[in-house]
Amino acid sequence: MKYIALLRGINVGGKNRVSMKELQKCFLDAGFTGVQTYINSGNVLFEAEIESDEKTLQEDWQTMIRNSFGFPVAVAVISVQNLSQALRQVPEWWGKDPQEKHNALFTIFPATAKEVIAEIGELHSEAEKVYCSEGIIFWSTSIQHYSKTKFSKIVGTKPYQKVTIRNANTTKKLVLLGTQ
């Protein structure tokens, strides 16, 4: 079974620096196979011999990363199959228009997508679009209206601590790499 681990807040502004080579080694040393990283923001594709619970993998990885790198890192884990299915169900407006920002907000257990959306509050209906999948919030806005959106203002808030964010290109590339 193929999975993707999405680390939150590493290699940002010189803080929580993690080498992708060292991160890959951490996964290999833990007995996972097919390990590869994608870009420097903490995206790790890996295979487990048996199907595992994503929540258990997440908790295990958070512990292993803390032990290996000396600081806590929140991790969201999703199977390639589940992410691929979510992308097949996402509305057509997500990830298409180059004049818009398109993000996928992956929730970090025990948070849920519905809980995060409720905490963010009522959306600016003219400026942003949101689709909620299990464990993922798909969000889009025009670049012109970005500053008017609720999602543009979540940095540093309680809901922000419950997600790790990837843009549409990264999200789609992770599925592509996972299915090759």
Side-chain angles (χ1 to χ4, degrees), residues 98-119:
Q99 298 302 312
E100 293 187 346
K101 292 179 74 71
H102 306 278
N103 289 331
L105 291 80
F106 295 86
T107 57
I108 299 167
F109 181 79
T112 65
K114 288 181 182 179
E115 171 189 326
V116 170
I117 287 174
E119 288 180 9

Side-chain angles (χ1 to χ4, degrees), residues 140-155:
S140 293
T141 187
S142 69
I143 294 169
Q144 167 188 344
H145 290 111
Y146 177 75
S147 64
K148 296 178 184 177
T149 68
K150 284 285 200 162
F151 278 82
S152 70
K153 295 170 178 59
I154 69 167
V155 174

Side-chain angles (χ1 to χ4, degrees), residues 31-43:
F32 293 97
T33 58
V35 179
Q36 70 181 102
T37 60
Y38 176 67
I39 64 177
N40 206 34
S41 59
N43 306 296

Side-chain angles (χ1 to χ4, degrees), residues 22-79:
E22 291 175 25
L23 185 60
Q24 183 177 25
K25 183 180 180 326
C26 182
F27 275 69
L28 290 168
D29 289 349
F32 293 97
T33 58
V35 179
Q36 70 181 102
T37 60
Y38 176 67
I39 64 177
N40 206 34
S41 59
N43 306 296
V44 184
L45 293 105
F46 63 99
E47 294 177 31
E49 287 186 25
I50 58 170
E51 187 172 343
S52 298
D53 177 76
E54 293 169 3
K55 295 170 186 119
T56 301
L57 285 171
Q58 174 187 321
E59 292 166 354
D60 291 347
W61 279 114
Q62 288 176 159
T63 301
M64 285 188 274
I65 290 167
R66 181 183 303 117
N67 292 342
S68 296
F69 298 100
F71 51 85
V73 174
V75 179
V77 176
I78 187 166
S79 72

